[in-house]
Amino acid sequence: MSEPVLTERTGDVVVWTLNNPQARNPISEAETVDALEQAVAEVNRDPSVRVAILTGAGTAFSSGGNVKHMRDRSGMFGGSPAELRQGYRHGIQRIPKALYHCEIPTIAAVNGPAIGAGCDLALMCDMRIASRTATFAESFAKVGIIPGDGGAWLLPRAVGMARASEMAFTGEPIDAATALDWGLVSAVVDPDALLEAAHHLAARVAANPPHSLRMTKKLLREGQWQSLESLLELSAAMQAIAHQTADHHEAVDAMLARRPPEFTGH
């Protein structure tokens, strides 16, 4: 089997490419789960990486769960109800947990259909850019199951409860233009311009101090469930750290001198 996720680094940006185009990049195989979890762990340990881009090889972003395995009741889809529960918990559900705790900003470059868990995978990223050929479907109802990888938590936060309900209850796809209108993605570009657009956005993000990026992402995550008072306390603590970094002083000095800053991550 080829590498399930290809990793390519350019400067301070890393690109993760789902690499099973013949099967339209499903993410339910144990090897893919392991590879995505490992990819996140590596960037969390490496302070020199500032942004990650996630995309798919071939014409699809991700088909989500492997429907043939569902039919055959094999892999994570096999066994008793208790075994199936464990299969989800220790299988595909490790992906949303890993990406939720990824310390650097992430961009989904959605190059084609993002179906079921593939749609949710795009939603697990902080930012999303779509090719005009992309479609998004919260399609679990179409195969008689439910969003098992966090889609019921992710989708309403992206498009609101009413539109999330429409997508989940009908299981029908929306095109890239609709995804842009609904706020599911922030930009739609021609297919051959997708990765360039993703790298352009990544460069705009990576131009900022890496410690500030990681702490800002943490605050955005915590702000989804903490009270305002708790978040303000955490913000004060992180701000005290940020004020003492060399990159903060460099940013202020460069701004006052009207010159480009040079950040080192210190």
Side-chain angles (χ1 to χ4, degrees):
M1 180 180 177
S2 59
E3 289 293 320
V5 178
L6 302 178
T7 299
E8 181 181 1
R9 181 166 175 179
T10 303
D12 42 27
V13 176
V14 66
V15 178
W16 300 324
T17 304
L18 301 174
N19 188 37
N20 189 358
Q22 294 80 12
R24 297 168 67 81
N25 302 319
I27 57 171
S28 52
E29 279 79 2
E31 296 84 0
T32 304
V33 174
D34 290 343
L36 285 170
E37 192 175 55
Q38 180 62 30
V40 172
E42 288 174 359
V43 300
N44 284 351
R45 290 193 297 264
D46 187 349
S48 68
V49 183
R50 301 189 187 184
V51 185
I53 298 169
L54 176 62
T55 193
T59 59
F61 177 71
S62 175
S63 60
N66 191 314
V67 178
K68 291 182 179 179
H69 290 180
M70 293 183 196
R71 176 198 63 195
D72 299 336
R73 299 185 180 182
S74 62
M76 65 170 284
F77 305 117
S80 67
E83 290 168 331
L84 275 162
R85 174 175 176 264
Q86 292 296 84
Y88 271 85
R89 293 179 65 240
H90 299 292
I92 198 170
Q93 288 186 354
R94 287 160 47 204
I95 298 175
K97 290 178 181 178
L99 285 170
Y100 185 84
H101 293 291
C102 183
E103 295 181 6
I104 62 173
T106 53
I107 301 168
V110 185
N111 54 298
I115 308 300
C119 179
D120 293 342
L121 180 66
L123 295 169
M124 294 171 203
C125 295
D126 302 308
M127 297 162 281
R128 289 167 292 281
I129 295 176
S131 162
R132 298 191 192 282
T133 61
T135 56
F136 300 84
E138 191 76 352
S139 56
F140 300 93
K142 291 292 189 184
V143 289
I145 58 175
I146 54 90
D149 60 328
W153 191 90
L154 294 159
L155 189 56
R157 284 169 164 78
V159 299
M161 185 59 75
R163 284 169 170 164
S165 297
E166 179 180 336
M167 290 182 69
F169 294 156
T170 67
E172 296 169 357
I174 62 171
D175 61 17
T178 303
L180 179 63
D181 182 55
W182 288 8
L184 198 154
V185 301
S186 58
V188 174
V189 299
D190 290 331
D192 58 1
L194 179 64
L195 280 180
E196 180 182 356
H199 275 287
H200 179 67
L201 176 57
R204 290 166 54 205
V205 174
N208 294 305
H211 290 306
S212 295
L213 290 174
R214 293 188 182 219
M215 287 192 287
T216 298
K217 177 164 179 175
K218 180 66 173 177
L219 288 174
L220 288 170
R221 286 283 189 259
E222 295 296 317
Q224 291 183 299
W225 62 272
Q226 281 197 11
S227 67
L228 174 60
E229 288 78 8
S230 296
L231 190 72
L232 288 172
E233 286 294 332
L234 182 59
S235 301
M238 287 190 173
Q239 192 74 297
I241 296 170
H243 273 289
Q244 296 301 314
T245 62
D247 280 347
H248 164 62
H249 297 296
E250 166 63 11
V252 172
D253 290 344
M255 185 174 293
L256 293 174
R258 298 184 179 180
R259 61 171 175 82
E262 296 183 7
F263 300 125
T264 62
H266 296 101

